[in-house]
Amino acid sequence: MHRKSMFLCVFLILIFTITFIGCSFQSAGSSAGQPSVNKAPGKTSSSKEIGTTKTEDGKPAAPGRETVYNCLIPEAAGEITYGNDTVSIDASNTSEGYVMVRYSGDAAKVKLQITVPHMTTYTYTLAGDSYETFPLSEGDGSYKLDVLENVEGEMYALLFSQDIQVETQDEFKPFLYPNQYAWFTQDDNAVAYGMELSDASSDDLDYVERVYLYVIGNIVYDEELAATVTSGYLPDVDRTLQTKKGICFDYAALMAALLRSQGIPTKLQIGYSGDAYHAWISVYLTEIGWVDDIIEFDGKSWSLMDPTLAAGNSRSSIKKYIGDGDNYTVKYSY
């Protein structure tokens, strides 16, 4: 069987998924309409002209995919800013699909709420003392940013609020940049490994295959973490790459970093598989559009790209973390 055909057949037999139990990081959102599939995704600023793969005897094979050597990195440019003594919002690059926020106060717990154009609110935990990046995942429109400080128990007080109007240059950019949930930089091992995989790939489809098979073949599900993880947990893609274990949030973040750093728009999705809370990804391919919804390949179209599927885990040992594998419902896209 042809290598790519074998890869596509994987999607016919993947019928279960690992749930994101316990990772209640208190985000909220809605499944907005999918972007148009007629527009080609934006590319990063620097890439090689043409890559080449090699045959077993070391001779150049057919031209390969265009490897990205400088991934997109967010910048707090300081051109458009809002805030007060403890809150800084940098909205200089909203046209690129992101906003940056920094908290420099003394509160132990601080929340950022972003209300998107369809009036759904995403809630994040701010780490504090440095700028963090958050996607403007619904594209054009009016966004409201509220920063809230914890005052007692689970009570929060509004510290700063700002409305911003967003006009994006490219609807794919929010899903190409790193953000708090899928953070990576040019110096990360995950980004370097993505370049290595890309150099060996013949095209985008081949690269997605290599990334997918690496993740499901090498990262094992961390049942201990799944049982003990607390609100506010954030993935660390290099840690996942090094330890080779994680929960579905880690799987999805690592795969998102590997794909985004190579110029492939990728949504890190949070939602439900049946009644189970879960994290997965959707991928944009120029010839196909967004790959999402269900786990199926009918010979013409793809669906859900979930990196925890078939990831070397026995169904019996992780049954308590598994949804029913169908009825995927997107709640939030990052």
Side-chain angles (χ1 to χ4, degrees):
M1 182 181 295
H2 190 275
R3 184 164 171 265
K4 289 185 182 178
S5 298
M6 290 178 66
F7 172 60
L8 297 178
C9 286
V10 170
F11 292 91
L12 293 173
I13 61 174
L14 298 179
I15 59 172
F16 67 90
T17 183
I18 316 301
T19 184
F20 188 28
I21 286 291
C23 293
S24 55
F25 41 96
Q26 302 177 349
S27 300
S30 64
S31 177
Q34 299 293 346
S36 166
V37 300
N38 296 319
K39 181 179 178 183
K43 293 294 184 181
T44 57
S45 60
S46 177
S47 59
K48 70 178 183 179
E49 292 297 322
I50 288 291
T52 57
T53 58
K54 293 184 179 180
T55 60
E56 291 183 358
D57 60 5
K59 295 180 180 179
R65 85 174 293 271
E66 193 174 294
T67 294
V68 174
Y69 290 116
N70 291 288
C71 59
L72 290 173
I73 299 298
E75 178 187 10
E79 297 173 359
I80 302 174
T81 61
Y82 310 96
N84 56 25
D85 290 342
T86 56
V87 174
S88 299
I89 297 174
D90 193 304
S92 304
N93 290 297
T94 57
S95 63
E96 290 288 291
Y98 68 87
V99 65
M100 303 184 76
V101 181
R102 180 178 64 188
Y103 172 77
S104 56
D106 298 325
K109 294 189 289 186
V110 183
K111 299 291 185 183
L112 167 67
Q113 292 187 331
I114 300 180
T115 303
V116 299
H118 286 105
M119 302 306 295
T120 315
T121 300
Y122 286 58
T123 302
Y124 302 89
T125 298
L126 290 177
D129 205 34
S130 61
Y131 273 109
E132 297 176 89
T133 305
F134 303 93
L136 302 170
S137 55
E138 285 198 8
D140 296 352
S142 179
Y143 290 75
K144 182 181 181 182
L145 280 67
D146 293 326
V147 178
L148 303 100
E149 272 185 330
N150 181 254
V151 291
E152 183 180 0
E154 294 303 317
M155 296 179 61
Y156 285 78
L158 181 63
L159 183 62
F160 186 80
S161 181
Q162 181 66 46
D163 294 325
I164 58 174
Q165 192 66 30
V166 173
E167 293 184 13
T168 55
Q169 295 179 347
D170 185 331
E171 62 188 304
F172 295 97
K173 284 293 181 69
F175 310 110
L176 284 168
Y177 274 96
N179 61 48
Q180 191 197 54
Y181 280 9
W183 182 253
F184 55 89
T185 71
Q186 189 65 42
D187 296 329
D188 283 351
N189 292 329
V191 172
Y193 188 63
M195 289 187 282
E196 182 181 330
L197 287 180
S198 177
D199 283 341
S201 302
S202 58
D203 53 28
D204 282 356
L205 176 59
D206 186 34
Y207 179 68
V208 171
E209 172 188 358
R210 289 173 187 270
V211 168
Y212 183 83
L213 292 179
Y214 172 79
V215 172
I216 67 169
N218 292 276
I219 312 300
V220 298
Y221 196 73
D222 191 334
E223 296 185 48
E224 180 180 357
L225 177 59
T228 59
V229 69
T230 58
S231 175
Y233 175 82
L234 292 174
D236 180 326
V237 295
D238 269 7
R239 180 184 63 209
T240 304
L241 194 70
Q242 179 181 8
T243 64
K244 292 185 168 53
K245 63 181 181 180
I247 54 179
C248 69
F249 198 7
D250 299 302
Y251 281 75
L254 175 57
M255 197 169 180
L258 288 167
L259 293 169
R260 288 183 184 185
S261 64
Q262 280 301 312
I264 297 177
T266 304
K267 295 178 181 178
L268 196 161
Q269 311 262 31
I270 304 293
Y272 292 89
S273 169
D275 294 329
Y277 205 39
H278 187 52
W280 67 93
I281 68 168
S282 294
V283 176
Y284 184 91
L285 295 173
T286 304
E287 300 81 5
I288 300 168
W290 283 106
V291 178
D292 49 22
D293 295 330
I294 60 173
I295 307 164
E296 184 178 21
F297 176 73
D298 63 8
K300 295 182 180 179
S301 60
W302 285 16
S303 55
L304 182 66
M305 293 287 293
D306 184 338
T308 50
L309 298 172
N313 303 292
S314 80
R315 188 179 180 86
S316 60
S317 69
I318 56 172
K319 188 173 182 179
K320 59 187 174 183
Y321 302 118
I322 297 175
D324 59 13
D326 57 16
N327 298 320
Y328 274 79
T329 303
V330 177
K331 298 293 289 184
Y332 333 118
S333 294
Y334 301 95

